[in-house]
């Protein structure tokens, strides 16, 4: 409708399903862009060698990692790892607010951590929000992370549109 002036994110972005494989396990998630498999970036180094896919646009960044379930590595350990990584960077992070809830992704129970904070490691402080889903599927502990600038209404709308749209396998 030309001239209506009421475009939403569905009018501005093309959403698609992305499959991410790690070992024999696969998850499918919704994203407004393709995720690059095996992509690394210096600011994502805390994810470690398990990083399997990432992508971004000017409004939102998505990082998906998988790591095999093993002795000493499960959902609770991954959750503690996420909490530790964000709280140990006290030199660059202030005004940290952490929320934790448990949700269902289909038949899978997931921990959801939401971090909002001000990061000052760059030239100017920036308010960021990170929402991280941590869950086990098959033999893999998955971490699906969405990050956007807290005061970016498009980033927030994108996150609200796609976050939690995660399923086991190659579901479309």
């Amino acid at each position: 409708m030309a001239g209506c002036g009421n475009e939403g994110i569905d009018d501005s972005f093309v959403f698609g399903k992305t499959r991410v494989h790690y070992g024999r396990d696969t998850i499918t998630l919704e994203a407004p862009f393709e995720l690059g498999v095996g992509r690394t970036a210096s600011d994502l180094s805390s994810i470690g060698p398990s990083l399997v896919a990432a992508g971004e646009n000017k409004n939102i960044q998505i990082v998906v990692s998988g790591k095999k379930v093993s002795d000493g590595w499960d959902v609770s350990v991954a959750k503690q790892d996420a909490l530790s990584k964000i709280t140990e960077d006290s030199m660059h992070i202030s005004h940290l607010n952490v929320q934790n809830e448990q949700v269902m992704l289909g038949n899978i129970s997931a921990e959801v951590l939401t971090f909002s904070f001000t990061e000052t490691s760059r030239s100017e402080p920036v308010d960021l929000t990170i929402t991280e889903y941590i869950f086990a599927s098959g033999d893999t502990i998955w971490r699906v992370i969405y990050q956007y600038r807290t005061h970016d209404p498009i980033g927030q709308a994108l996150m609200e549109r796609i976050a939690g749209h995660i399923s086991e396998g190659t579901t479309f």
Side-chain angles (χ1 to χ4, degrees), residues 26-93:
T26 302
I27 61 171
T28 300
L29 61 138
E30 191 169 9
F33 42 72
E34 289 188 41
L35 300 181
V37 176
R39 182 174 164 202
T40 59
S42 60
D43 61 333
L44 303 178
S45 62
S46 66
I47 299 299
S50 63
L51 178 66
V52 294
E56 63 188 57
N57 62 24
K58 68 180 184 176
N59 303 104
I60 193 166
Q61 177 181 58
I62 302 171
V63 178
V64 181
S65 68
K67 187 172 180 177
K68 289 296 174 196
V69 174
S70 65
D71 291 335
W73 185 255
D74 60 16
V75 170
S76 64
V77 173
K79 176 183 164 183
Q80 190 55 49
D81 181 63
L83 290 166
S84 295
K85 292 223 185 319
I86 199 83
T87 57
E88 71 186 22
D89 192 10
S90 61
M91 277 183 66
H92 300 108
I93 292 177

Side-chain angles (χ1 to χ4, degrees), residues 1-8 11:
M1 291 194 217
C4 76
N6 225 2
E7 280 191 10
D11 299 317

Side-chain angles (χ1 to χ4, degrees), residues 127-154:
D127 294 329
L128 297 173
T129 299
I130 297 174
T131 300
E132 179 170 354
Y133 288 75
I134 304 171
F135 57 96
S137 174
D139 294 330
T140 303
I141 302 297
W142 292 98
R143 294 171 76 171
V144 180
I145 303 166
Y146 306 92
Q147 176 177 304
Y148 65 96
R149 285 179 211 86
T150 302
H151 303 293
D152 176 0
I154 296 171

